[in-house]
Amino acid sequence: MALIYRNEAFLNIFYGSLMAFFVFLILDIINIHCLDISINIPEAVVHTGKEIPVDIMLNNRGVLPTGRIGVYIKSINLYTGKKEVTKFYVSADGSAFLSARCYYYAKNPGNIEFFIKKVWVEDYLGILKLPVFRHDKYEHPVIVIPKLYEVPVLVVHSIYENANENGNINNTFIAPDSMENGETRQYIPGDSFKNIHWKLSAKAGELMSKQKYSNVSCMAVFFIIPGSIGSAYKKRRFIQAVLSVSTSLVLNGCIHYICWPGQNEGRLVRYIVKRESDAYCFMQEGINTVTGKNIPYKDVLLIKDMYIRKYNEQSNIPFIAINTDFELFVDDRKIAQYDFKDLQNSIKTTEILI
């Protein structure tokens, strides 16, 4: 335009715009090299219907204030496979540290991973937009727990009665760290090193653990029987049923193993459950293995027999099982058929006697 109309004003505007472009470009490049961006999830476990706080931390090591910083946070629910990207915009003064809190609404239960997908730096006028490659690339997992219901549990035989009937019954369980001293047993992988009896281990030539009991009234094994489950809604209800049973056992003084078949044939996965949070391992590792699309239904007796042979377990220990048809078993006997559509009410109708 300047050359056509021989107007110096247009030429000055052109050179001024070009100069501003380079100035903004240099400022953005400086910001890119002076920025440290990361996220932090202060809560590792939340309940459905709650908001998950996500802190965006921006450290500007340069002396100049930043323009607008766009942070794209991606979340993946490993249970549903749902992916979401949320955009947030922050800025910071020169030589300043900023922590901005945003929230994610936890609608569905599962194991959710948060991470920074990408970061952009914009100049003060929003003309230039350059990517920031130096940022936190770690995944931050959060467990979203569904609403749990209380299952009626009645302990008929205490752990001490079982111990009198079979002296080996206690040897298959890991004792909580806080309990009083009792007998010793062979070390099981996963035992706390605080419970190892080092003098007896030296004499026996193998590791021996202290067996400790206090307010525990019973011990049991809780099997999760795999099978194709269908809809995501039914899957959410199954998580509720499993965690409700496990939590109710703990609340009634029954520590137990939660156990399910692994992906490899003949492999069993088990975790000791001494408190409610111990059962969350099923949501982290077991839910997709147990409820996959093409997983054939397993027989309760087959899984129990596999467990007894693998861990040299005593057959008279209380065995509880639930399958993906929402059938509840106690010691090989079906005692309940939960209605997954009305789980809250159906779960109250049958008492678990152990």
Side-chain angles (χ1 to χ4, degrees):
M1 294 292 292
L3 295 176
I4 293 174
Y5 294 103
R6 299 180 180 277
N7 190 323
E8 292 185 2
F10 285 112
L11 192 60
N12 292 334
I13 293 173
F14 169 74
Y15 285 124
S17 301
L18 191 62
M19 181 63 67
F21 174 83
F22 283 111
V23 170
F24 289 144
L25 178 62
I26 293 172
L27 290 175
D28 283 352
I29 293 175
I30 292 174
N31 284 333
I32 289 174
H33 287 281
C34 294
L35 283 177
D36 294 320
I37 300 175
S38 61
I39 61 172
N40 178 56
I41 314 293
E43 297 182 17
V45 179
V46 299
H47 285 80
T48 52
K50 302 295 184 180
E51 292 182 328
I52 300 175
V54 181
D55 293 333
I56 302 174
M57 294 175 290
L58 189 153
N59 182 25
N60 181 14
R61 294 177 284 104
V63 295
L64 298 175
T66 67
R68 190 169 71 159
I69 311 297
V71 182
Y72 295 18
I73 297 178
K74 188 172 184 178
S75 59
I76 301 177
N77 190 322
L78 301 183
Y79 149 62
T80 62
K82 185 177 181 181
K83 302 177 182 179
E84 294 179 319
V85 176
T86 308
K87 302 177 183 178
F88 299 95
Y89 295 96
V90 293
S91 61
D93 294 330
S95 303
F97 176 83
L98 173 71
S99 179
R101 173 159 292 189
C102 54
Y103 294 91
Y104 173 89
Y105 180 70
K107 183 178 180 181
N108 297 315
N111 191 21
I112 301 180
E113 290 184 346
F114 293 88
F115 59 93
I116 298 177
K117 183 180 181 181
K118 57 184 178 181
V119 180
W120 297 92
V121 170
E122 297 181 7
D123 59 77
Y124 305 121
L125 300 180
I127 298 175
L128 289 178
K129 186 177 179 181
L130 299 179
V132 178
F133 299 103
R134 187 171 141 185
H135 58 75
D136 176 13
K137 295 180 174 62
Y138 296 105
E139 298 171 344
H140 300 262
V142 177
I143 301 175
V144 180
I145 304 300
K147 181 179 180 181
L148 303 182
Y149 307 119
E150 184 177 353
V151 180
V153 175
L154 178 60
V155 178
V156 179
H157 300 290
S158 71
I159 187 174
Y160 304 104
E161 292 171 348
N162 288 336
N164 291 331
E165 293 174 4
N166 190 330
N168 294 324
I169 193 170
N170 296 336
N171 295 340
T172 58
F173 288 88
I174 301 173
D177 296 338
S178 60
M179 296 183 178
E180 297 172 354
N181 290 332
E183 300 177 354
T184 59
R185 56 169 172 77
Q186 189 177 16
Y187 172 81
I188 299 175
D191 282 6
S192 172
F193 282 98
K194 296 179 182 179
N195 289 343
I196 294 179
H197 198 304
W198 296 106
K199 290 185 179 179
L200 280 182
S201 297
K203 292 181 180 180
E206 60 179 346
L207 291 177
M208 302 293 293
S209 292
K210 299 175 185 177
Q211 187 68 44
K212 304 176 182 181
Y213 301 109
S214 179
N215 296 325
V216 176
S217 60
C218 75
M219 291 179 172
V221 178
F222 182 26
F223 292 119
I224 315 299
I225 311 301
S228 180
I229 201 168
S231 67
Y233 172 75
K234 196 173 180 180
K235 213 172 182 181
R236 290 198 299 269
R237 288 299 198 180
F238 186 66
I239 292 176
Q240 283 182 291
V242 170
L243 297 186
S244 293
V245 171
S246 181
T247 300
S248 298
L249 290 173
V250 170
L251 292 177
N252 285 273
C254 184
I255 64 175
H256 56 281
Y257 280 116
I258 185 170
C259 181
W260 64 85
Q263 293 181 340
N264 299 328
E265 189 66 28
R267 179 174 177 265
L268 290 175
V269 180
R270 69 172 185 173
Y271 286 87
I272 190 73
V273 180
K274 297 178 284 188
R275 59 188 68 85
E276 178 184 337
S277 58
D278 294 335
Y280 299 162
C281 59
F282 173 67
M283 292 186 62
Q284 291 178 290
E285 301 184 27
I287 181 63
N288 290 326
T289 301
V290 171
T291 61
K293 292 182 179 179
N294 300 318
I295 293 179
Y297 285 95
K298 300 284 187 179
D299 182 72
V300 175
L301 294 177
L302 178 65
I303 301 298
K304 176 182 176 181
D305 182 64
M306 184 190 307
Y307 183 88
I308 291 174
R309 286 186 285 106
K310 180 176 179 61
Y311 294 106
N312 194 26
E313 188 65 273
Q314 303 300 319
S315 59
N316 60 345
I317 286 181
F319 286 87
I320 305 162
I322 189 171
N323 61 22
T324 50
D325 285 330
F326 291 81
E327 296 175 319
L328 186 69
F329 300 83
V330 174
D331 294 333
D332 309 333
R333 183 173 61 89
K334 177 182 173 180
I335 66 168
Q337 172 70 66
Y338 291 149
D339 180 4
F340 70 90
K341 295 181 180 178
D342 189 20
L343 188 61
Q344 183 174 5
N345 290 320
S346 68
I347 211 167
K348 300 176 181 178
T349 59
T350 306
E351 188 174 45
I352 298 177
L353 302 179
I354 51 178

